[in-house]
Amino acid sequence: MKTVTLLIPCYNEEESIPYMRDALVKLMNDNTRYQWEVLFINDGSCDRTLSLLEHLHQQDKRFCYVSLSRNFGKEAAMLAGFDHARGDAVIIMDADLQHPPQVIPQMLAAWEEGYDDVYGKRLSRGRESWLRRKLSMSYYRLLQRMAHVDILPNVGDFRLLDRRCIEVLKQLRETERYTKGLYCWIGFNKKEVPFETQDRVAGRSTWSYRQLIGLAIDGIMSFTTAPLRISAILGIVVSIAAFIYMCAVLVKTLFWGEPVAGYPTIVVLVLFLGGVQLISLGIVGEYLGKTFMEVKNRPVYVVDKMALSDNPSEA
């Protein structure tokens, strides 16, 4: 009998966990042809999330957990899940039930057909604000044009991964992670399963605009050096424009003369060139900073405590 791991990163989800438990128990009881393991990754929650997970494990050994020593972020939490999941297939989903468990049987059916990566594609984005929706779609369009791999738009972390995909992802130990891009980078046989994003059953999202912008920057800089190239091209264009302007001023001065003037022009040019230089230095600094973090070779996460079941099917 094949084993399926449900991998659920969670941070301050004490209100959602009881609803999640009920939904997953129904899913597992309705699909008895598989052995099940539910693996929660507690990403340094500061509420009662860990105590609820400990209680769940005592009641039902299929519910396991790995608790990290602090909040390392969702990307690191997912890697911790990959390292500790023991299923033949691993299904990643959020703890707030925005990823509907009812879609999982369709994913399993596609997996049985031979697909290695069965990803959920959002038909809608739930109650997401208009601004956030527009920014997300613009970001995906930008990333599609700049990245060296095909980043799938409107696709998140809700997906089923075969054990082959998990073993490859475990080898990718970079600190500055963008897992949505890594799914595409590793390749393998993919299939989409459409689903409607559900509203959160409880609590509220912990993702701020600042965190989303940081994740977007990580995505761009993890999969393309296009910003560096754009910076170099911009420098060349500005240099050519400055040379042409210099020649024009020289010709005008030689043939028609030039009174002492042009203070506003000089100020504008200095400010413009200074801005271009600072932008270029900032882009180089971002790449250099990420390189600095990588060469430290620190572990991506630190485990505080865990509880795993020797037999995932044991209840």
Side-chain angles (χ1 to χ4, degrees), residues 41-58:
I41 308 298
N42 176 42
D43 189 22
S45 299
C46 51
D47 60 0
R48 295 177 55 249
T49 296
L50 178 57
S51 61
L52 289 176
L53 296 180
E54 291 173 334
H55 182 65
L56 268 182
H57 180 71
Q58 292 171 358

PDB file of all heavy atoms in Angstrom, residues 41-58:
ATOM      1  N   ILE A  41       4.525  21.321  10.044  1.00  0.00           N
ATOM      2  CA  ILE A  41       5.794  21.972  10.347  1.00  0.00           C
ATOM      3  C   ILE A  41       5.471  23.263  11.096  1.00  0.00           C
ATOM      4  O   ILE A  41       4.988  24.230  10.506  1.00  0.00           O
ATOM      5  CB  ILE A  41       6.603  22.283   9.067  1.00  0.00           C
ATOM      6  CG1 ILE A  41       6.752  21.030   8.202  1.00  0.00           C
ATOM      7  CG2 ILE A  41       7.970  22.851   9.444  1.00  0.00           C
ATOM      8  CD1 ILE A  41       7.506  19.900   8.860  1.00  0.00           C
ATOM      9  N   ASN A  42       5.720  23.251  12.392  1.00  0.00           N
ATOM     10  CA  ASN A  42       5.463  24.439  13.210  1.00  0.00           C
ATOM     11  C   ASN A  42       6.641  25.400  13.067  1.00  0.00           C
ATOM     12  O   ASN A  42       7.735  25.155  13.573  1.00  0.00           O
ATOM     13  CB  ASN A  42       5.274  24.032  14.671  1.00  0.00           C
ATOM     14  CG  ASN A  42       5.101  25.241  15.567  1.00  0.00           C
ATOM     15  OD1 ASN A  42       4.406  26.194  15.217  1.00  0.00           O
ATOM     16  ND2 ASN A  42       5.751  25.225  16.720  1.00  0.00           N
ATOM     17  N   ASP A  43       6.402  26.498  12.367  1.00  0.00           N
ATOM     18  CA  ASP A  43       7.476  27.434  12.028  1.00  0.00           C
ATOM     19  C   ASP A  43       7.633  28.500  13.108  1.00  0.00           C
ATOM     20  O   ASP A  43       7.441  29.691  12.866  1.00  0.00           O
ATOM     21  CB  ASP A  43       7.186  28.071  10.662  1.00  0.00           C
ATOM     22  CG  ASP A  43       8.353  28.894  10.138  1.00  0.00           C
ATOM     23  OD1 ASP A  43       9.488  28.664  10.580  1.00  0.00           O
ATOM     24  OD2 ASP A  43       8.117  29.758   9.283  1.00  0.00           O
ATOM     25  N   GLY A  44       7.948  28.045  14.327  1.00  0.00           N
ATOM     26  CA  GLY A  44       8.199  28.989  15.409  1.00  0.00           C
ATOM     27  C   GLY A  44       6.978  29.760  15.855  1.00  0.00           C
ATOM     28  O   GLY A  44       7.089  30.947  16.200  1.00  0.00           O
ATOM     29  N   SER A  45       5.826  29.130  15.879  1.00  0.00           N
ATOM     30  CA  SER A  45       4.602  29.821  16.294  1.00  0.00           C
ATOM     31  C   SER A  45       4.722  30.307  17.734  1.00  0.00           C
ATOM     32  O   SER A  45       5.332  29.644  18.584  1.00  0.00           O
ATOM     33  CB  SER A  45       3.395  28.889  16.166  1.00  0.00           C
ATOM     34  OG  SER A  45       3.208  28.484  14.832  1.00  0.00           O
ATOM     35  N   CYS A  46       4.086  31.450  18.017  1.00  0.00           N
ATOM     36  CA  CYS A  46       4.115  32.000  19.372  1.00  0.00           C
ATOM     37  C   CYS A  46       2.745  31.920  20.047  1.00  0.00           C
ATOM     38  O   CYS A  46       2.523  32.556  21.082  1.00  0.00           O
ATOM     39  CB  CYS A  46       4.630  33.437  19.357  1.00  0.00           C
ATOM     40  SG  CYS A  46       3.813  34.527  18.178  1.00  0.00           S
ATOM     41  N   ASP A  47       1.822  31.154  19.472  1.00  0.00           N
ATOM     42  CA  ASP A  47       0.534  30.924  20.111  1.00  0.00           C
ATOM     43  C   ASP A  47       0.477  29.466  20.579  1.00  0.00           C
ATOM     44  O   ASP A  47       1.505  28.861  20.863  1.00  0.00           O
ATOM     45  CB  ASP A  47      -0.617  31.270  19.158  1.00  0.00           C
ATOM     46  CG  ASP A  47      -0.595  30.437  17.877  1.00  0.00           C
ATOM     47  OD1 ASP A  47       0.314  29.595  17.737  1.00  0.00           O
ATOM     48  OD2 ASP A  47      -1.490  30.616  17.037  1.00  0.00           O
ATOM     49  N   ARG A  48      -0.698  28.858  20.614  1.00  0.00           N
ATOM     50  CA  ARG A  48      -0.851  27.491  21.117  1.00  0.00           C
ATOM     51  C   ARG A  48      -0.754  26.438  20.010  1.00  0.00           C
ATOM     52  O   ARG A  48      -1.143  25.290  20.203  1.00  0.00           O
ATOM     53  CB  ARG A  48      -2.204  27.355  21.818  1.00  0.00           C
ATOM     54  CG  ARG A  48      -2.335  28.207  23.082  1.00  0.00           C
ATOM     55  CD  ARG A  48      -3.721  28.105  23.703  1.00  0.00           C
ATOM     56  NE  ARG A  48      -4.100  26.725  23.970  1.00  0.00           N
ATOM     57  CZ  ARG A  48      -5.051  26.053  23.317  1.00  0.00           C
ATOM     58  NH1 ARG A  48      -5.721  26.642  22.322  1.00  0.00           N
ATOM     59  NH2 ARG A  48      -5.355  24.817  23.641  1.00  0.00           N
ATOM     60  N   THR A  49      -0.211  26.801  18.867  1.00  0.00           N
ATOM     61  CA  THR A  49      -0.138  25.860  17.749  1.00  0.00           C
ATOM     62  C   THR A  49       0.605  24.588  18.136  1.00  0.00           C
ATOM     63  O   THR A  49       0.133  23.469  17.881  1.00  0.00           O
ATOM     64  CB  THR A  49       0.557  26.516  16.541  1.00  0.00           C
ATOM     65  OG1 THR A  49      -0.237  27.616  16.083  1.00  0.00           O
ATOM     66  CG2 THR A  49       0.732  25.523  15.407  1.00  0.00           C
ATOM     67  N   LEU A  50       1.767  24.712  18.766  1.00  0.00           N
ATOM     68  CA  LEU A  50       2.571  23.528  19.106  1.00  0.00           C
ATOM     69  C   LEU A  50       1.850  22.619  20.090  1.00  0.00           C
ATOM     70  O   LEU A  50       1.838  21.390  19.917  1.00  0.00           O
ATOM     71  CB  LEU A  50       3.922  23.960  19.676  1.00  0.00           C
ATOM     72  CG  LEU A  50       4.848  22.815  20.107  1.00  0.00           C
ATOM     73  CD1 LEU A  50       5.118  21.865  18.954  1.00  0.00           C
ATOM     74  CD2 LEU A  50       6.157  23.361  20.667  1.00  0.00           C
ATOM     75  N   SER A  51       1.234  23.188  21.120  1.00  0.00           N
ATOM     76  CA  SER A  51       0.533  22.351  22.092  1.00  0.00           C
ATOM     77  C   SER A  51      -0.635  21.618  21.450  1.00  0.00           C
ATOM     78  O   SER A  51      -0.917  20.449  21.782  1.00  0.00           O
ATOM     79  CB  SER A  51       0.047  23.198  23.274  1.00  0.00           C
ATOM     80  OG  SER A  51      -0.859  24.199  22.834  1.00  0.00           O
ATOM     81  N   LEU A  52      -1.322  22.248  20.505  1.00  0.00           N
ATOM     82  CA  LEU A  52      -2.411  21.573  19.789  1.00  0.00           C
ATOM     83  C   LEU A  52      -1.873  20.426  18.935  1.00  0.00           C
ATOM     84  O   LEU A  52      -2.485  19.356  18.847  1.00  0.00           O
ATOM     85  CB  LEU A  52      -3.162  22.572  18.914  1.00  0.00           C
ATOM     86  CG  LEU A  52      -4.025  23.611  19.638  1.00  0.00           C
ATOM     87  CD1 LEU A  52      -4.630  24.594  18.636  1.00  0.00           C
ATOM     88  CD2 LEU A  52      -5.124  22.922  20.433  1.00  0.00           C
ATOM     89  N   LEU A  53      -0.728  20.638  18.296  1.00  0.00           N
ATOM     90  CA  LEU A  53      -0.129  19.572  17.485  1.00  0.00           C
ATOM     91  C   LEU A  53       0.310  18.399  18.362  1.00  0.00           C
ATOM     92  O   LEU A  53       0.167  17.226  17.975  1.00  0.00           O
ATOM     93  CB  LEU A  53       1.061  20.124  16.695  1.00  0.00           C
ATOM     94  CG  LEU A  53       0.735  21.202  15.655  1.00  0.00           C
ATOM     95  CD1 LEU A  53       2.010  21.662  14.956  1.00  0.00           C
ATOM     96  CD2 LEU A  53      -0.275  20.696  14.634  1.00  0.00           C
ATOM     97  N   GLU A  54       0.846  18.698  19.536  1.00  0.00           N
ATOM     98  CA  GLU A  54       1.238  17.623  20.462  1.00  0.00           C
ATOM     99  C   GLU A  54       0.017  16.822  20.895  1.00  0.00           C
ATOM    100  O   GLU A  54       0.063  15.580  20.964  1.00  0.00           O
ATOM    101  CB  GLU A  54       1.943  18.229  21.674  1.00  0.00           C
ATOM    102  CG  GLU A  54       3.305  18.821  21.359  1.00  0.00           C
ATOM    103  CD  GLU A  54       3.910  19.567  22.533  1.00  0.00           C
ATOM    104  OE1 GLU A  54       3.134  20.047  23.395  1.00  0.00           O
ATOM    105  OE2 GLU A  54       5.150  19.705  22.587  1.00  0.00           O
ATOM    106  N   HIS A  55      -1.070  17.511  21.158  1.00  0.00           N
ATOM    107  CA  HIS A  55      -2.302  16.831  21.558  1.00  0.00           C
ATOM    108  C   HIS A  55      -2.853  15.989  20.407  1.00  0.00           C
ATOM    109  O   HIS A  55      -3.315  14.847  20.626  1.00  0.00           O
ATOM    110  CB  HIS A  55      -3.336  17.861  22.005  1.00  0.00           C
ATOM    111  CG  HIS A  55      -4.622  17.265  22.483  1.00  0.00           C
ATOM    112  ND1 HIS A  55      -4.708  16.477  23.616  1.00  0.00           N
ATOM    113  CD2 HIS A  55      -5.894  17.334  21.977  1.00  0.00           C
ATOM    114  CE1 HIS A  55      -5.956  16.085  23.787  1.00  0.00           C
ATOM    115  NE2 HIS A  55      -6.703  16.597  22.813  1.00  0.00           N
ATOM    116  N   LEU A  56      -2.789  16.502  19.192  1.00  0.00           N
ATOM    117  CA  LEU A  56      -3.248  15.745  18.024  1.00  0.00           C
ATOM    118  C   LEU A  56      -2.452  14.460  17.862  1.00  0.00           C
ATOM    119  O   LEU A  56      -3.006  13.398  17.573  1.00  0.00           O
ATOM    120  CB  LEU A  56      -3.102  16.606  16.759  1.00  0.00           C
ATOM    121  CG  LEU A  56      -4.282  17.456  16.300  1.00  0.00           C
ATOM    122  CD1 LEU A  56      -3.936  18.184  15.021  1.00  0.00           C
ATOM    123  CD2 LEU A  56      -5.517  16.597  16.107  1.00  0.00           C
ATOM    124  N   HIS A  57      -1.143  14.553  18.039  1.00  0.00           N
ATOM    125  CA  HIS A  57      -0.292  13.370  17.876  1.00  0.00           C
ATOM    126  C   HIS A  57      -0.606  12.315  18.934  1.00  0.00           C
ATOM    127  O   HIS A  57      -0.571  11.115  18.647  1.00  0.00           O
ATOM    128  CB  HIS A  57       1.175  13.776  17.960  1.00  0.00           C
ATOM    129  CG  HIS A  57       2.126  12.629  17.800  1.00  0.00           C
ATOM    130  ND1 HIS A  57       2.320  11.977  16.596  1.00  0.00           N
ATOM    131  CD2 HIS A  57       2.919  11.987  18.705  1.00  0.00           C
ATOM    132  CE1 HIS A  57       3.197  11.006  16.756  1.00  0.00           C
ATOM    133  NE2 HIS A  57       3.570  10.987  18.024  1.00  0.00           N
ATOM    134  N   GLN A  58      -0.932  12.742  20.133  1.00  0.00           N
ATOM    135  CA  GLN A  58      -1.273  11.789  21.183  1.00  0.00           C
ATOM    136  C   GLN A  58      -2.576  11.070  20.868  1.00  0.00           C
ATOM    137  O   GLN A  58      -2.738   9.876  21.165  1.00  0.00           O
ATOM    138  CB  GLN A  58      -1.389  12.510  22.528  1.00  0.00           C
ATOM    139  CG  GLN A  58      -0.056  13.046  23.047  1.00  0.00           C
ATOM    140  CD  GLN A  58      -0.228  13.932  24.269  1.00  0.00           C
ATOM    141  OE1 GLN A  58      -1.354  14.180  24.727  1.00  0.00           O
ATOM    142  NE2 GLN A  58       0.885  14.431  24.808  1.00  0.00           N
TER     143      GLN A  58
END
